[in-house]
Amino acid sequence: MIANEIPAIANSLWSASANPTPPCPPLEGEAETEVAIVGGGFTGLSAALHLAEVGIAATVLEAETPGWGASGRNGGQVNPGLKEDPDTVETRFGAEMGGRMVRMSGEAADLVFSLIERHGIDCAAARTGWVQPAHDARAMETARTRVGQWARRGAAVRLLTASETADILGTEGYLGAMLDERGGNLHPLNYALGLAWAAQRAGAVLHGASRVTGLKREGERHVLHTARGRLAARRVLLCTNGYTDGLAPPMARTIVPVRSVQVATAPLGDNVRRSILPGGHAASDSRRLLLYFRLDPQGRFVMGGRGAYDTAGTEHQMARLRQVSRELYPQLGDAEWTHAWGGYVAITADHYPHLDAIRPGIMAALGYNGRGVAMATAMGRVLAEWAAGRPEAELDFPVTPPRPIPFHFLRRPAVAATVALHRLRDRIGI
Ligand SMILES: Cc1cc2nc3c(=O)[nH]c(=O)nc-3n(C[C@H](O)[C@H](O)[C@H](O)COP(=O)(O)OP(=O)(O)OC[C@H]3O[C@@H](n4cnc5c(N)ncnc54)[C@H](O)[C@@H]3O)c2cc1C
């Protein structure tokens, strides 16, 4: 169970199979550091590790425990690239910056798997490839374009026919797919915990149960307040993504937190297991309300999709995911469903992650739009480079002012309306 979480989304498979958490006592009394990091998910832990590795003192303040947020709850699918295709990114941001963003996001999975190897992180990492199956003709055209653009840039990406897709997925529901061999899957909580151990070994300081409730400038330093301590730092990195609170306005208004949920079966029998994703691929499909699915190393089937803000709606979505799973894979039949959990992803208005200069000396990275295993790890490294003094113009992502989303107070009804519209469009194929 996820500690300090509401029961409807707390029964996590990853928490039930987690490695030990490194010791991270709460911050007590007065402390100093070079770089203070708020939030102990992939973004904050990657930043801490990369800073510690170059000898810069970094302290992580996490409200709960490392990996407590989305990083410890997600599908564990390592998906390279941004949501937008490479040509679109380069058109919008220009050949120079856009090219850097494409390269950095395309190589983000390399970073994840190389960190795992370098630090011996025990997280069942498998670089088996990521499949994006197309559910209709329009999605197939998008897959063709996407594959063409990545292939022109030398990436290990190819288009699959309907029958190749059926072989890889073990279901015939799709017209074809993009296969991205750069991707794969892992145990997300154990990856986060492994980053935490590695950061600590490299010299970073980690404090759990240390929610930052105040952030003030005092002379040359920023002072972060928790219930029982104060931390002074030269620079501050805000890494709170879908869990962003009112600490540093207007940060919370630059994203919309949206709940995503997953359900998982007990380990399947050998015959059924061999018939589903036999090559161990991770899949996330092309629907507007996308389905993402995989097996875990014990042969449990794990299916994820959009949740709801309230408990009844969330439970309804979980039941729907079990039903959709049985439609895709009738052989799941009466498999026992043992886990159901969820967490918040951070959606941005333009569907890009943001690297936001909140105030002088305070930088935030957030808004991975549900695709942060690879990107949050990579953005953590960008934050570390900034905190170590690299000029903003040389970073791999553009630094922007925070851009609050207009009518943000209407976000919940707006999300509900958008979900209903997406569901209808997925159903009738427009
Ligand atoms: C159910 C689900 C499935 C997903 N599936 C995938 C997937 O398969 N592939 C993929 O690439 N991405 C996926 N994602 C998205 C991915 O998990 C996130 O993009 C990524 O984990 C973001 O990492 P982060 O470190 O920025 O934020 P988080 O991991 O959310 O960490 C933020 C942390 O900040 C802490 N915090 C907040 N406020 C404060 C404060 N004031 N003081 C101290 N600490 C604070 C929180 O406690 C939290 O631990 C999924 C997300 C969810 C929820």
Side-chain angles (χ1 to χ4, degrees):
M1 290 286 173
I2 302 169
N4 297 333
E5 183 52 277
I6 57 165
I9 55 166
N11 183 11
S12 162
L13 168 62
W14 312 129
S15 298
S17 51
N19 291 333
T21 301
C24 31
L27 177 71
E28 307 255 6
E30 305 276 331
E32 278 206 27
T33 188
E34 273 296 291
V35 183
I37 299 170
V38 184
F42 299 144
T43 309
L45 296 168
S46 166
L49 173 59
H50 285 100
L51 284 165
E53 282 190 320
V54 294
I56 296 179
T59 298
V60 177
L61 299 176
E62 161 57 48
E64 300 286 342
T65 47
W68 183 88
S71 298
R73 309 175 183 216
N74 60 67
Q77 302 206 4
V78 186
N79 310 330
L82 296 163
K83 287 240 159 175
E84 302 291 356
D85 290 333
D87 287 3
T88 311
V89 178
E90 290 185 5
T91 303
R92 168 152 176 204
F93 293 92
E96 168 61 25
M97 177 51 80
R100 269 191 261 162
M101 293 163 73
V102 169
R103 214 167 24 255
M104 173 254 205
S105 60
E107 290 170 359
D110 296 344
L111 176 65
V112 169
F113 289 106
S114 72
L115 285 173
I116 290 169
E117 200 181 327
R118 190 147 53 88
H119 296 283
I121 297 176
D122 170 18
C123 63
R127 203 163 193 183
T128 39
W130 167 49
V131 195
Q132 196 174 38
H135 74 289
D136 66 11
R138 187 200 298 244
M140 194 59 202
E141 212 30 60
T142 304
R144 197 182 308 281
T145 308
R146 187 162 295 157
V147 166
Q149 293 186 14
W150 278 116
R152 274 206 312 284
R153 290 167 174 84
V157 173
R158 62 194 169 91
L159 197 67
L160 302 179
T161 63
S163 88
E164 288 170 325
T165 305
D167 287 348
I168 281 191
L169 298 181
T171 177
E172 299 202 328
Y174 294 98
L175 303 185
M178 174 179 84
L179 170 61
D180 190 330
E181 288 170 346
R182 298 170 297 180
N185 55 57
L186 45 69
H187 185 305
L189 180 53
N190 284 342
Y191 172 52
L193 294 172
L195 287 176
W197 281 103
Q200 220 173 45
R201 275 196 303 270
V205 176
L206 269 55
H207 292 292
S210 299
R211 177 173 292 281
V212 181
T213 52
L215 174 54
K216 295 204 179 71
R217 181 119 199 174
E218 288 183 10
E220 289 299 291
R221 299 249 138 179
H222 303 276
V223 180
L224 298 89
H225 296 253
T226 67
R228 287 188 275 168
R230 277 166 43 104
L231 176 68
R234 190 178 55 82
R235 287 196 165 185
V236 180
L237 305 178
L238 300 175
C239 309
T240 49
N241 204 45
Y243 292 84
T244 299
D245 56 18
L247 179 65
M251 203 176 141
R253 287 192 291 127
T254 66
I255 52 130
V256 175
V258 170
R259 204 181 263 180
S260 185
V261 294
Q262 290 180 89
V263 292
T265 66
L268 301 168
D270 283 350
N271 285 344
V272 176
R273 182 194 299 202
R274 271 196 292 271
S275 69
I276 297 174
L277 295 159
H281 295 85
S284 40
D285 79 8
S286 52
R287 288 177 170 84
R288 287 184 177 79
L289 296 182
L290 68 85
L291 298 171
Y292 51 97
F293 46 101
R294 55 171 290 194
L295 293 176
D296 85 343
Q298 284 68 44
R300 297 180 180 90
F301 181 72
V302 185
M303 170 63 88
R306 182 58 60 85
Y309 288 117
D310 62 319
T311 295
T314 293
E315 284 169 356
H316 174 76
Q317 292 305 332
M318 289 166 166
R320 194 185 72 85
L321 290 176
R322 293 183 198 105
Q323 176 58 31
V324 169
S325 304
R326 285 187 290 263
E327 284 163 17
L328 275 179
Y329 296 107
Q331 62 270 47
L332 286 173
D334 49 9
E336 187 194 354
W337 294 88
T338 52
H339 295 87
W341 71 101
Y344 284 107
V345 302
I347 305 294
T348 55
D350 62 2
H351 302 299
Y352 286 92
H354 294 168
L355 187 59
D356 282 347
I358 302 294
R359 293 197 270 286
I362 305 180
M363 189 71 82
L366 74 173
Y368 304 107
N369 292 275
R371 208 195 269 195
V373 176
M375 267 312 287
T377 306
M379 287 291 257
R381 183 171 68 178
V382 172
L383 284 176
E385 288 166 352
W386 172 79
R390 191 161 183 182
E392 289 179 5
E394 289 177 19
L395 299 173
D396 281 343
F397 227 81
V399 175
T400 48
R403 285 158 288 172
I405 296 171
F407 303 108
H408 191 261
F409 61 98
L410 292 174
R411 64 196 175 282
R412 287 197 172 198
V415 168
T418 308
V419 165
L421 180 64
H422 284 348
R423 183 160 298 130
L424 181 67
R425 292 180 70 185
D426 281 342
R427 200 170 299 146
I428 60 180
I430 55 164

